[in-house]
Amino acid sequence: MKRNPVTVVAGLVAALSLALAGCAGTPAAAPASTPAAGGSTAQAPADPKTYKVGVSQYVAHPSLDASLVGFKKALADAGLEVTYDEKNGNADQATVTSISTTFATAGLDLVLAIATPSAQAAAQAITDTPVLFTAVTDPVAAKLVESMDAPGHNVSGTSDMNPVAEQIALVKKLKPEAKTLGIIYSSGEVNSEVQVAAAKEAAAVEGLEVVEKTVTATGEVQQAANSLEVDAIYVPTDNNVVAGLESVIQVAETKQIPLVVGEGDSVKKGGIITYGIDYEKLGYQTGEMAVKILTEGADVSTMAVETQKDLAVYVNKAAAERMGVTIPEDVLAGAEVVG
C-alpha cells in the first residue's frame, strides 16, 4: 500500500515534538499556579472562614444601634466574613432570656450582648461560647465579671461608664442660677442606679437639689417628664428613658429648661449637651476585641474590660435655642457641634 508523503512527514514531526518534550521534562498539564513578581509562586487564596456571631440587643434606640454599627465595622475592616443572627429583646426581660437560651446551643463563634440586661442574661445562659458586652455601665456591679482587669469567665467587653460629675457640672454652665435638677431613670436597671448615685454626689457639690422620677418602661417616660418642676433635667444612659427621649425633649422645650444627657447620640437626637462617649466608637472598640478572639484565639476570660478611649463635649446649638438656653463660648470652644 502506497503511503501519502504528507502523512508520513506530519507523523515524523509529531513524534519528534513528543520526544523533545519528554527530554525537556515539560509536564503535559498546565501548572496550577503562575509565577508572581520576584519569582515567587502566587497561590489562589483559600475560601475564608465564615464566622457566626449572635447579637442580643436589649432595645432599639440610637445609642445601642450605633454600638452595633461600630462593632460590625470593626470586623469588616479586619476582613472577616461574618453571618449575624440579630435578636432584639424589645426591653422585655423574658424575651432577652429566651434569646440567650437559644444562642447557648446555636453553635455560634461569639455572642455580642448590647446593654446590661442582655449581658446579664447571656452571662447566665451561655458558658461555652465567648460573650462580649457593650453599653454596660458597671460590669462588676452587674456581676458580669469578677473585676475590670480580670473577668475570670467567658465574658468581657466594653463599659459605657460616663464622667457623671463632669456632666452634672454642665448644668451650672448652662444655667448658673439653677437650684433643682430632675433625673429620670429606670428603677430596675443596675447601670442607671450606679449613674444616679454618682449624679447625686455631683449635684450636691454643685449646690443642686435632685428630684428623682423612676420608670419601669418606655411608655412611662412622658408622664415622668411632665411631672417634673425643676430648673434643669439630666438623663443618664438609661435604656428605657433614652428610647423615649423625645418626650423629655418636648417637656424641656415647653418649660424652657436645659436638658443635659449621658452620651453623644442623645445630643444628636435633641439634648443640649454632654461630655462623654460616642457609642459607634465604643462598639468599634468591642469589635476589635472580637477580632482578637476569633482570629488570634485570645482568651476572653483574661481580656480586661475596656472603656471609651476618647471623650468629647457634644453640643446641639439648635436644641439649646429651642429650650431658650445660650451655650457659653468657653463651653463651645473645642466642642463637637452635632446639631
Side-chain angles (χ1 to χ4, degrees):
M1 179 177 174
K2 187 176 180 180
R3 296 184 178 182
N4 188 323
V6 175
T7 302
V8 172
V9 172
L12 290 173
V13 171
L16 181 61
S17 297
L18 289 171
L20 290 173
C23 292
T26 303
S33 58
T34 56
S40 63
T41 301
Q43 300 291 335
D47 290 336
K49 173 180 172 61
T50 298
Y51 297 95
K52 295 185 292 182
V53 174
V55 179
S56 174
Q57 183 171 326
Y58 179 61
V59 68
H61 64 65
S63 302
L64 301 188
D65 296 346
S67 68
L68 179 55
V69 169
F71 179 86
K72 288 182 174 181
K73 188 174 188 304
L75 271 63
D77 286 350
L80 273 61
E81 294 287 337
V82 183
T83 298
Y84 292 97
D85 185 358
E86 299 178 34
K87 307 290 187 187
N88 194 300
N90 296 311
D92 180 75
Q93 194 58 49
T95 302
V96 170
T97 300
S98 177
I99 291 169
S100 293
T101 301
T102 301
F103 281 173
T105 57
L108 301 169
D109 295 300
L110 184 138
V111 171
L112 172 68
I114 305 176
T116 301
S118 288
Q120 289 173 316
Q124 289 184 3
I126 303 168
T127 58
D128 298 326
T129 303
V131 175
L132 287 178
F133 56 75
T134 191
V136 170
T137 300
D138 192 335
V140 177
K143 298 182 180 179
L144 296 173
V145 296
E146 293 178 5
S147 72
M148 296 288 279
D149 292 329
H153 304 288
N154 64 311
V155 181
S156 187
T158 57
S159 167
D160 64 352
M161 184 63 192
N162 292 317
V164 175
E166 288 85 347
Q167 292 174 347
I168 298 300
L170 291 170
V171 173
K172 283 288 194 177
K173 290 278 189 180
L174 298 179
K175 194 171 184 178
E177 71 277 15
K179 299 295 183 184
T180 55
L181 176 65
I183 301 179
I184 310 171
Y185 68 100
S186 297
S187 55
E189 284 197 33
V190 174
N191 62 305
S192 300
E193 293 170 352
V194 169
Q195 292 176 80
V196 171
K200 287 180 179 179
E201 292 183 11
V205 173
E206 298 293 336
L208 292 165
E209 177 188 347
V210 171
V211 179
E212 300 176 52
K213 294 294 179 181
T214 60
V215 300
T216 59
T218 298
E220 300 172 7
V221 173
Q222 184 172 11
Q223 182 179 354
N226 280 327
S227 67
L228 284 171
E229 295 297 335
V230 292
D231 298 321
I233 300 175
Y234 173 67
V235 172
T237 56
D238 180 288
N239 292 301
N240 285 320
V241 181
V242 172
L245 191 63
E246 291 90 347
S247 298
V248 187
I249 293 169
Q250 184 180 30
V251 169
E253 291 177 357
T254 300
K255 297 187 176 183
Q256 293 289 278
I257 57 176
L259 171 60
V260 176
V261 291
E263 38 70 41
D265 288 299
S266 289
V267 177
K268 295 175 185 177
K269 201 171 181 179
I272 290 180
I273 193 168
T274 195
Y275 174 64
I277 66 174
D278 180 306
Y279 272 86
E280 185 171 337
K281 291 180 181 178
L282 189 69
Y284 193 96
Q285 206 169 319
T286 316
E288 291 176 322
M289 296 176 71
V291 171
K292 292 177 182 178
I293 293 169
L294 295 174
T295 66
E296 301 174 17
D299 183 356
V300 65
S301 69
T302 63
M303 298 178 77
V305 175
E306 298 184 12
T307 55
Q308 178 76 63
K309 295 173 181 176
D310 302 311
L311 301 178
V313 175
Y314 300 91
V315 299
N316 187 324
K317 294 170 71 175
E321 184 176 348
R322 289 192 296 270
M323 294 174 197
V325 176
T326 301
I327 303 175
E329 287 300 324
D330 64 325
V331 174
L332 283 173
E336 184 173 335
V337 179
V338 296

